[in-house]
C-alpha cells in the first residue's frame, strides 16, 4: 500500500462538518449545543447514523460516551482510539470538538474506501460534556473513564437549574449499559483546533502537542446583607457584590504575577436580589487559573485563598471558596507524539511542537493510555466564540495526519 494515497476525502469531511454545525447553529455563525440538551441528542443521533452507514459498531457507556468500532484483524487486541467531543460552549464555534469527532469518522470512511484492514480495531469516541459549561467540571466523562472521578459523583453534577447530569443522560436516551473505563486503549489520538494564534501566525500546518497546561477551577459564594441603597451609610454596608468585584480584580492580578504563561479568568457572576436600589446580599462567581507547571498553579491557588479571606474580612461578608476541578499539567506519550510527527512529515506538512492552552479529554486519557494530540490552525486563534473558523485545507491536513498516525498505531495488514 503506497503511502501517497493514504489520504482522506477533504470535501466529504468539510460537508460533514458543515452538516453537524447546523445542529445548534446560531445567527452569528456559531454553534450552541450544550451537553445533554436536545441539540446534543440530535448531534449524537446524526453521528450514530453516520457510524452505522460506515459499518461501525456503536457502544455507549454509563456516561454516554459513544465508541464506534471498526473491527481489526485481531479483535482481541486493544483498540486505537480517535475522537473528541460534540458538545459546545453557549457561544461556541463549528470546530471545537466536532473537528476531532468528524475527522475521526472521515478516517474510518477513508479506510473503507481504501479497503484497508488494520491489525488492531480502531474506535471513534465522542466524549460526553467535555466543555464543562452546563455541567462542571470540564472533561468529566474522560475523567470517569480514567478513574479520576467516580461515576456517581459525575452523574450527580448539576447545572445552574439544579438538573443532574445523570438524569439528563437518561432523558436524551444516552445512558448506556457499558461500564465506563476499565478497558485498555493501545493508543489515543485527538485532532483539535489549536484555539490559539501560534500556528496561523507562524504559517505552520500542524501542531504536534507535547504537553497540556494544568488548570484549577473554583466557585466562590459571598454572603453579605441586603439593605437599602439610599439609607444605609457606607460604613455599615456588607456588600457581597463589592467583595466579588474586588476578587475578580485579584484573579487577574494573581494571573499576571505568573506572567507570561499564567492565565486567570472569571467566567460567571450572579448576584441576589439584583435590584438597582438594594445592596446585593449574595454574590456567586466562578474563576479559574491555568499554567504549565504545578508550582505556579499552587502559588495561584494559595494567593486566591489569601485574597478571598482578606477581602471577605474587609468587606464584612462571609465567603465560601470551593475548589471544584483540578487537571494536572499533562505530558503526552513520546511514542504517540513521534507517530504524529512522522505522519505530518510523510505528508510534507510543516509542523512544530506546541503546548495546549486548552484542556481536552486527551489530557485525562493520557494518565491511563499512550496519548497524543494533533492541532490544526484556527483563524486569529479565536475559539469559544461564534466567529471560530478554520480553512478547509487545515481540516483536511489535520485529518490526514490523524489517519496516518492511527494507521501506524493500528498496523495495516491488508
Ligand atoms: O476549558 C477548556 O479548556 C476546554 O474547552 N473544556
Ligand atoms: Mn474542545
Ligand atoms: Mn472548548
Amino acid at each position: 500500500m503506497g503511502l501517497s494515497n493514504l489520504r482522506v476525502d477533504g470535501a466529504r469531511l468539510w460537508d460533514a462538518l458543515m452538516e453537524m454545525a447546523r445542529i445548534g447553529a446560531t445567527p452569528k455563525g456559531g454553534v450552541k449545543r450544550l451537553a445533554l440538551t436536545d441539540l446534543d441528542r440530535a448531534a449524537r443521533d446524526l453521528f450514530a447514523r453516520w457510524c452505522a452507514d460506515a459499518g461501525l459498531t456503536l457502544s455507549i457507556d454509563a456516561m454516554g460516551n459513544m465508541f464506534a468500532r471498526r473491527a481489526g484483524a485481531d479483535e482481541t487486541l486493544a483498540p486505537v482510539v480517535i475522537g473528541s467531543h460534540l458538545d459546545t460552549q453557549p457561544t461556541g464555534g463549528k470546530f471545537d470538538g466536532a473537528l476531532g469527532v468528524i475527522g475521526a469518522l472521515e478516517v474510518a470512511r477513508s479506510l473503507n474506501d481504501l479497503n484497508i484492514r488494520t491489525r488492531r480495531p480502531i474506535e471513534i469516541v465522542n466524549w460526553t460534556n467535555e466543555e464543562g459549561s452546563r455541567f462542571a467540571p470540564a472533561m468529566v466523562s474522560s475523567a470517569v473513564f480514567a478513574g479520576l472521578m467516580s461515576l456517581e459523583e459525575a452523574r450527580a453534577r448539576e447545572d445552574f437549574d439544579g438538573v443532574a447530569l445523570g438524569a439528563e443522560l437518561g432523558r436524551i436516551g444516552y445512558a448506556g449499559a457499558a461500564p465506563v473505563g476499565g478497558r485498555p486503549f493501545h493508543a489515543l489520538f485527538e485532532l483539535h483546533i489549536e484555539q490559539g494564534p501560534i500556528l496561523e501566525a507562524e504559517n505552520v500546518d500542524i501542531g504536534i502537542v507535547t504537553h497540556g497546561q494544568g488548570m484549577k477551577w473554583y466557585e466562590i459564594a459571598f454572603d453579605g446583607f441586603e439593605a437599602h441603597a439610599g439609607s444605609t451609610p457606607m460604613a455599615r454596608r456588607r456588600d457581597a457584590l463589592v467583595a466579588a468585584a474586588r476578587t475578580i480584580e485579584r484573579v487577574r492580578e494573581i494571573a499576571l504575577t505568573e506572567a507570561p504563561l499564567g492565565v486567570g479568568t472569571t467566567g460567571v457572576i450572579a448576584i441576589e436580589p439584583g435590584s438597582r436600589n438594594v445592596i446585593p446580599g449574595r454574590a456567586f462567581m466562578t474563576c479559574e487559573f491555568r499554567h504549565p507547571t504545578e508550582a505556579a498553579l499552587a502559588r495561584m491557588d494559595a494567593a486566591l485563598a489569601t485574597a478571598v479571606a482578606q477581602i471577605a474580612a474587609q468587606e464584612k461578608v462571609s465567603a465560601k471558596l470551593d475548589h471544584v476541578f483540578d487537571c494536572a499539567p499533562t505530558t503526552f506519550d513520546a511514542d504517540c507524539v513521534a507517530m504524529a510527527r512522522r505522519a505530518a512529515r510523510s505528508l510534507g506538512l510543516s509542523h512544530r511542537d506546541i503546548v495546549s492552552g486548552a484542556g481536552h479529554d486527551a489530557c485525562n486519557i493520557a494518565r491511563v493510555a499512550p496519548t497524543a494530540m494533533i492541532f490544526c490552525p484556527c483563524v486569529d486563534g479565536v475559539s469559544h466564540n461564534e466567529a471560530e473558523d478554520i480553512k478547509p485545507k487545515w481540516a483536511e491536513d489535520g485529518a490526514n495526519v490523524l489517519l496516518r498516525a492511527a494507521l501506524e498505531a493500528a498496523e495495516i495488514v491488508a
Side-chain angles (χ1 to χ4, degrees):
M1 169 72 57
L3 262 183
S4 60
N5 66 345
L6 284 186
R7 291 176 180 274
V8 300
D9 179 333
R12 180 174 58 192
L13 168 59
W14 191 256
D15 288 348
L17 283 166
M18 291 306 105
E19 185 170 350
M20 181 59 76
R22 280 198 279 278
I23 301 176
T26 62
K28 291 185 185 173
V31 177
K32 178 178 184 180
R33 199 166 55 222
L34 294 180
L36 306 182
T37 57
D38 290 344
L39 287 170
D40 186 12
R41 168 169 47 191
R44 289 163 172 264
D45 292 348
L46 176 60
F47 173 61
R49 194 164 70 247
W50 280 343
C51 289
D53 294 346
L56 308 178
T57 307
L58 184 64
S59 80
I60 300 168
D61 70 16
M63 279 301 291
N65 299 317
M66 301 171 77
F67 296 92
R69 186 180 175 102
R70 186 174 192 272
D74 183 346
E75 278 289 281
T76 65
L77 295 175
V80 171
V81 182
I82 53 179
S84 189
H85 62 94
L86 290 173
D87 66 305
T88 75
Q89 288 288 336
T91 53
K94 301 185 181 76
F95 306 101
D96 174 359
L99 175 64
V101 176
I102 308 296
L105 172 66
E106 177 51 36
V107 165
R109 286 171 164 174
S110 299
L111 294 180
N112 290 344
D113 293 347
L114 293 165
N115 200 20
I116 287 176
R117 275 201 95 196
T118 55
R119 179 178 313 283
R120 295 181 175 281
I122 290 176
E123 292 189 8
I124 303 171
V125 61
N126 168 34
W127 296 107
T128 296
N129 189 54
E130 185 281 339
E131 291 294 357
S133 173
R134 183 181 177 196
F135 300 100
M139 301 112 75
V140 69
S141 302
S142 53
V144 176
F145 192 97
L148 302 170
M149 179 187 272
S150 74
L151 176 63
E152 293 68 31
E153 187 187 354
R155 286 172 56 84
R157 299 298 296 170
E158 294 182 355
D159 64 12
F160 285 129
D161 296 323
V163 178
L165 186 153
E168 283 293 87
L169 259 181
R171 184 185 68 80
I172 68 166
Y174 276 91
V180 186
R183 66 187 181 98
F185 289 166
H186 176 66
L188 179 137
F189 295 94
E190 180 169 0
L191 168 63
H192 207 286
I193 57 173
E194 177 199 341
Q195 299 181 292
I198 297 170
L199 295 177
E200 186 189 39
E202 295 181 359
N203 195 26
V204 171
D205 299 320
I206 295 290
I208 305 293
V209 189
T210 56
H211 299 80
Q213 67 176 349
M215 67 175 102
K216 288 181 181 294
W217 284 17
Y218 305 88
E219 291 177 352
I220 311 173
F222 294 100
D223 267 303
F225 187 75
E226 290 171 19
H228 197 293
S231 53
T232 309
M234 292 306 282
R236 294 171 62 99
R237 295 180 177 214
R238 294 170 52 216
D239 188 329
L241 180 52
V242 168
R246 291 183 58 193
T247 304
I248 292 167
E249 185 62 35
R250 280 295 294 135
V251 165
R252 183 169 60 172
E253 289 163 359
I254 291 167
L256 292 173
T257 60
E258 298 293 343
L261 297 177
V263 291
T265 311
T266 295
V268 175
I269 176 85
I271 63 168
E272 293 174 16
S275 170
R276 60 193 73 222
N277 48 1
V278 175
I279 299 164
R282 277 185 60 78
F284 170 87
M285 62 179 276
T286 70
C287 63
E288 60 145 87
F289 292 118
R290 304 196 193 198
H291 195 282
T293 72
E294 282 287 14
L297 286 165
R299 288 193 298 268
M300 296 160 103
D301 181 73
L304 178 68
T306 303
V308 169
Q310 278 175 349
I311 290 167
Q314 290 159 359
E315 298 302 331
K316 301 187 291 294
V317 302
S318 67
K320 184 171 180 297
L321 170 61
D322 286 322
H323 188 170
V324 295
F325 176 41
D326 234 341
C327 182
T330 305
T331 300
F332 289 112
D333 175 80
D335 293 336
C336 288
V337 169
M339 287 183 219
R341 216 176 269 128
R342 281 194 290 272
R345 199 170 298 135
S346 74
L347 288 154
L349 295 171
S350 59
H351 53 282
R352 54 108 80 203
D353 289 3
I354 195 167
V355 175
S356 177
H360 303 282
D361 293 303
C363 299
N364 283 334
I365 300 304
R367 303 188 203 309
V368 293
T371 300
M373 294 192 73
I374 299 153
F375 276 177
C376 79
C378 56
V379 175
D380 298 333
V382 167
S383 184
H384 286 193
N385 183 305
E386 293 165 282
E388 180 186 278
D389 199 8
I390 65 174
K391 295 176 180 166
K393 179 183 182 302
W394 294 349
E396 183 174 356
D397 288 347
N400 277 325
V401 173
L402 182 68
L403 169 70
R404 293 192 179 191
L407 277 178
E408 181 177 347
E411 298 169 41
I412 298 175
V413 291

